[in-house]
Amino acid sequence: FETTAPATAMALWTAKRNGISNFSVLLSHFLVPPAISAIAEDRENRVQGFLAPGHVCAITGLEAYTALSQTYRMPMVITGFEPVDILQGILRCVTQLERGEASTDNQYRRVVADKGNTAAQQIMDAVFQTSDQAWRGIGIIKNSGLQLSNDYHQYDATALTHSASSRSPANIPVQQSCISGDILRGLKKPPQCPHFGKSCRPEHPLGAPMVSSEGACAAYFHYQ
């Protein structure tokens, strides 16, 4: 996501600046705000508010999340990752919902500045451009990914190996019985999946929410 994209951008910028030609990258960078839009616009969506990712917002700043909260009338509370951060984020989100409010609240001010990391943003803008991206369990989300800009196309590993189609998330198999899309949209909870804790476990995941240690299914599995 936007958290790790600046490091990739800096590596590419350095390679180009120093004329390094035997270097290429296989990009898999996704953008969070378009995914939030896709969830909010889904007709079956049941999500009422978001705890926005503090590490992402440390790069991007607040602007995109302010726009999301205004457009979809949903609270966006930017939080850190300590237990107290999460609890305070939940409290602030619920408080907004009870008051009928919808704004962007920065709980993680010790890390996240309003403008974000402008130096990181500038180098990302120089190296990348947005592209449509496939999300497992959801499908194609417009302008939700990053690809190399024309000036950096020479470093695209897929152009060298002709493996773009085989490496695309759209072509990574997902178990048809996996309900990760419903979980991501708030329609179902992990224990409602017939495979949860049985054929789908962290050591043998069927979908993205169990793959990631931050995923909903992994959290339900570990902490009941």
Side-chain angles (χ1 to χ4, degrees):
F1 293 99
E2 294 92 333
T3 314
T4 52
T8 306
M10 179 59 76
L12 290 160
W13 181 84
T14 302
K16 185 175 178 64
R17 184 182 184 188
N18 290 284
I20 298 172
S21 58
N22 62 336
F23 173 71
S24 60
V25 297
L26 185 63
L27 286 185
S28 185
H29 286 306
F30 292 68
L31 303 175
V32 174
I36 293 177
S37 292
I39 291 172
E41 291 176 2
D42 191 295
R43 292 182 178 180
E44 295 181 307
N45 168 56
R46 295 177 60 189
V47 177
Q48 295 174 293
F50 287 87
L51 299 187
H55 54 344
V56 169
C57 295
I59 302 297
T60 66
L62 309 186
E63 183 176 356
Y65 294 87
T66 299
L68 288 168
S69 63
Q70 293 173 348
T71 299
Y72 300 111
R73 297 300 301 164
M74 288 185 178
M76 300 278 167
V77 183
I78 298 163
T79 62
F81 299 90
E82 298 296 328
V84 171
D85 291 324
I86 301 296
L87 289 171
Q88 191 173 53
I90 292 171
L91 175 61
R92 292 186 179 191
C93 188
V94 171
T95 298
Q96 283 199 47
L97 290 170
E98 289 180 340
R99 292 176 177 173
E101 299 173 353
S103 64
T104 298
D105 184 3
N106 186 6
Q107 183 274 340
Y108 204 28
R109 287 194 176 277
R110 65 184 187 276
V111 172
V112 177
D114 289 353
K115 298 291 185 180
N117 186 328
T118 55
Q121 293 167 25
Q122 289 171 3
I123 198 166
M124 287 171 62
D125 289 342
V127 174
F128 301 130
Q129 61 188 31
T130 59
S131 61
D132 298 348
Q133 184 62 278
W135 294 62
R136 282 179 286 179
I138 295 178
I140 299 291
I141 299 179
K142 188 176 179 60
N143 293 324
S144 64
L146 294 175
Q147 65 181 21
L148 296 180
S149 65
N150 292 335
D151 289 342
Y152 287 84
H153 184 69
Q154 70 208 67
Y155 298 107
D156 185 355
T158 60
L160 298 174
T161 62
H162 305 289
S163 61
S165 60
S166 63
R167 296 291 302 183
S168 168
N171 292 323
I172 298 174
V174 178
Q175 296 286 340
Q176 291 184 351
S177 54
C178 176
I179 64 168
S180 60
D182 290 340
I183 290 169
L184 290 169
R185 292 180 294 155
L187 301 179
K188 293 183 179 179
K189 294 183 178 181
Q192 292 178 266
C193 176
H195 303 287
F196 175 77
K198 299 171 185 175
S199 58
C200 184
R201 303 166 63 89
E203 63 271 19
H204 185 267
L206 298 183
M210 188 66 87
V211 172
S212 171
S213 61
E214 300 175 351
C217 293
Y220 269 78
F221 181 86
H222 287 297
Y223 303 111
Q224 303 298 311

